[in-house]
Amino acid sequence: MGKITVERCEIEGLCVITPTVFKDDRGYFLENWKKNDLIKFGVPEEFFNNDLQNNVSVSNKGTLRGIHCQGWAKLMTVAWGTFRMCFIDLRRESSTYKKVMSLDVKPGMAVFVPEGVANGAQSLVDNGILNYIVTGYYNPTEKYLGITPLDSKLNLPWDMATPPIISEKDKGSLSYDEVIAIIESDVK
């Protein structure tokens, strides 16, 4: 229907997809994503062959979620507000292993996060709405790997104008160095 632009990011496989937004006096409309367009622009076709779960989070201003390292690929879109997203490449075989980057994501943008790239998101507005599809089913009894979002070594560019709101689970996550040590000690 409309033109799509794709921006390749500093982390291998991570890309920002921006569809055409059609605005009028009613508001706006956009095709959030189409499978064939995503594949054409670099999202691996196998992404769609997985167990897919769609999640929505509504966050108060300052809420910081992550840094999550579940090992799933994700397609993330913002329905309302702006989210500061930070990414860390934890794939040992990647040419951008340990690369860290951040970007502000708004409605009309989608971010494809490859499997093995950890991510966190902070809502910069009240009632920010983040929608994301993941390639695995969440299991509340499983312990997922995470990096504490305020790790001083990473010094991520979160908005600290007000104290961030962070779950106890995310506060209790491992340090960046601890996660790297686990990854580098893992012999497969």
Side-chain angles (χ1 to χ4, degrees):
M1 177 177 202
K3 182 181 163 216
I4 292 177
T5 60
V6 176
E7 175 190 347
R8 307 284 175 208
C9 297
E10 302 166 38
I11 292 178
E12 183 183 317
L14 186 79
C15 58
V16 177
I17 303 141
T18 308
T20 301
V21 177
F22 300 94
K23 295 181 182 180
D24 62 24
D25 58 348
R26 299 169 294 170
Y28 71 88
F29 171 83
L30 62 91
E31 287 182 350
N32 205 23
W33 60 272
K34 277 196 286 195
K35 177 181 170 181
N36 60 339
D37 285 342
L38 293 178
I39 292 168
K40 176 179 163 186
F41 290 111
V43 172
E45 190 164 0
E46 18 334 321
F47 174 80
F48 300 98
N49 298 332
N50 289 287
D51 293 332
L52 296 177
Q53 177 175 313
N54 188 68
N55 301 317
V56 175
S57 67
V58 179
S59 299
N60 294 322
K61 183 176 182 175
T63 296
L64 212 163
R65 298 178 187 268
I67 304 256
H68 299 142
C69 318
Q70 297 103 328
W72 301 329
K74 298 179 181 179
L75 181 63
M76 307 178 82
T77 60
V78 173
W80 170 255
T82 302
F83 281 81
R84 176 145 311 139
M85 295 187 184
C86 293
F87 307 93
I88 306 165
D89 191 346
L90 298 178
R91 302 167 296 170
R92 287 176 62 178
E93 72 287 351
S94 169
S95 64
T96 55
Y97 177 51
K98 297 184 185 178
K99 178 78 177 165
V100 178
M101 65 164 285
S102 67
L103 61 123
D104 288 352
V105 181
K106 300 176 182 181
M109 298 169 71
V111 180
F112 176 72
V113 184
E115 183 177 324
V117 174
N119 68 285
Q122 181 185 34
S123 182
L124 301 181
V125 300
D126 273 328
N127 298 314
I129 302 172
L130 182 61
N131 181 56
Y132 53 105
I133 299 170
V134 298
T135 58
Y137 297 139
Y138 178 75
N139 178 348
T141 63
E142 189 168 333
K143 181 158 174 50
Y144 295 102
L145 194 59
I147 298 172
T148 182
L150 299 179
D151 187 293
S152 59
K153 183 168 186 173
L154 290 172
N155 194 28
L156 297 170
W158 303 120
D159 180 2
M160 301 299 280
T162 57
I165 303 164
I166 306 171
S167 72
E168 290 304 314
K169 182 178 173 184
D170 286 348
K171 283 180 190 176
S173 293
L174 300 174
S175 72
Y176 170 75
D177 286 339
E178 289 170 320
V179 169
I180 294 298
I182 290 168
I183 291 168
E184 293 184 350
S185 69
D186 188 23
V187 179
K188 294 186 176 180

